[in-house]
Amino acid sequence: MDFLSCVEPLISLLEASRSEGRGKSKAFGFWEDYINVVLVLLQFIKAEPTGNWKLHLTATAVMVPNFFTLDRINYARWLPVYLSNMNMLETNHPEVYK
């Protein structure tokens, strides 16, 4: 029996619990969303001092919808452009990427 086959039932139970919690309580949904935003911010904060470029881009990409939601127009407008340019950096400017 491999690890994935052991974990799949737990994942489905967790998803069922989340769905049930969101259905029963708006507060549950709020706190789950809050935890997810904080986890993304922690990933972003970790990426900066460690120089983990892939984590920086991933965390930034996950944050983009929040800037639309929070009506942060400049971030919402320019972060997709920034991400597009930075994802093409390795091919367009390999010397800078190194």
Side-chain angles (χ1 to χ4, degrees):
M1 185 179 268
D2 66 335
F3 177 74
L4 202 54
S5 64
C6 294
V7 173
E8 284 178 0
L10 293 174
I11 292 172
S12 63
L13 285 173
L14 180 61
E15 290 302 320
S17 174
R18 284 181 174 169
S19 296
E20 183 180 336
R22 280 187 174 271
K24 288 183 179 179
S25 170
K26 289 183 180 182
F28 180 92
F30 169 80
W31 286 111
E32 186 179 25
D33 291 343
Y34 176 80
I35 289 169
N36 290 335
V37 168
V38 169
L39 289 174
V40 171
L41 286 173
L42 289 173
Q43 287 178 338
F44 183 79
I45 291 168
K46 179 182 178 181
E48 296 309 304
T50 60
N52 188 335
W53 185 245
K54 296 293 183 189
L55 183 60
H56 166 80
L57 293 178
T58 302
T60 304
V62 172
M63 286 191 289
V64 169
N66 295 319
F67 292 118
F68 281 97
T69 303
L70 297 171
D71 201 28
R72 300 293 185 204
I73 302 300
N74 287 331
Y75 288 105
R77 182 185 316 156
W78 291 108
L79 272 179
V81 175
Y82 167 76
L83 288 169
S84 175
N85 288 336
M86 294 303 109
N87 282 318
M88 294 185 303
L89 188 63
E90 187 174 11
T91 56
N92 292 349
H93 302 287
E95 64 284 349
V96 174
Y97 181 79
K98 288 178 186 177

